[in-house]
Amino acid sequence: MSSGIEQARRHASKLALVFVLIAFVLAIVVFFTPFWYKVSYNSVLGSVTFSAGLIQTRTCDGDCSSQSFPDDEEGDYRSARLTAIICMSLAFFFTVLYFLATGLQISGKRVGPLDQGKLAIANLVLVILITVLYCATLILFPIIYGGDSTSFEGYLQDFSSGYSWSYYFLIPIIILTGVAAVILGLDASSKLKNSGYSPMS
């Protein structure tokens, strides 16, 4: 019976690990792609599209080229992207810690005072932190930036601007880590009930 419970716990840990791993890979792609915000319009030379991410920008006007942000960059977009970089970098750091802690939990090993019960709680806390940081990125980025403030709609044909797919990819990332947090929460709750373990002990 106890071996069956332990096997179920390991399966729960592995399932949560898969969700967090997929979210981590997607988040890395989102972090480095220049498609958080996009501006497009038609000029006498043709269609022009300008996209900006957290690390670099991309301009397409026949040919496409990418470039880094200038050192003297100013404005709300700079503040928004630096906030997003900080939040996502912290999420990456906590994700690496989660991978290490999950590896210990799945292997059944104990490190110092960290037994299986404490590892289960640590993993839950880490995934909740990761989810909160991704949520903070999703919420704070548009609040700080606020969108394109230069109104060219009356001067440029087919002018449009808005958040692009890299930004909206944060939503499935949050869903994945949120589901992992629920799985780990149920696993930790079951572990506490079956073992009589208390976080204060």
Side-chain angles (χ1 to χ4, degrees), residues 96-145:
V96 172
L97 291 182
Y98 165 75
F99 289 153
L100 294 174
T102 301
L104 293 173
Q105 186 180 8
I106 292 174
S107 66
K109 293 181 179 179
R110 175 179 178 140
V111 179
L114 294 177
D115 58 18
Q116 289 296 298
K118 291 179 180 177
L119 281 172
I121 294 172
N123 282 337
L124 174 60
V125 171
L126 285 170
V127 174
I128 289 174
L129 282 173
I130 293 164
T131 305
V132 168
L133 286 166
Y134 287 139
C135 286
T137 305
L138 181 73
I139 295 169
L140 293 177
F141 187 82
I143 289 177
I144 296 172
Y145 178 47

Side-chain angles (χ1 to χ4, degrees), residues 16 34 47 49 51-52 56 68 77 95 107 136 140 143-144 149 160 191:
S47 177
T49 301
S51 301
Q56 59 182 352
S68 300
Y77 192 85
T95 301
S107 66
L140 293 177
I143 289 177
I144 296 172
S149 59
S160 66
K191 187 182 287 288

Side-chain angles (χ1 to χ4, degrees), residues 37-41 50 76-77 142 145-153 156 159-163:
Y37 197 85
K38 183 175 74 172
V39 174
S40 62
Y41 58 88
F50 174 80
D76 293 337
Y77 192 85
Y145 178 47
D148 182 62
S149 59
T150 56
S151 179
F152 290 114
E153 287 192 57
L156 296 172
F159 177 86
S160 66
S161 63
Y163 299 96

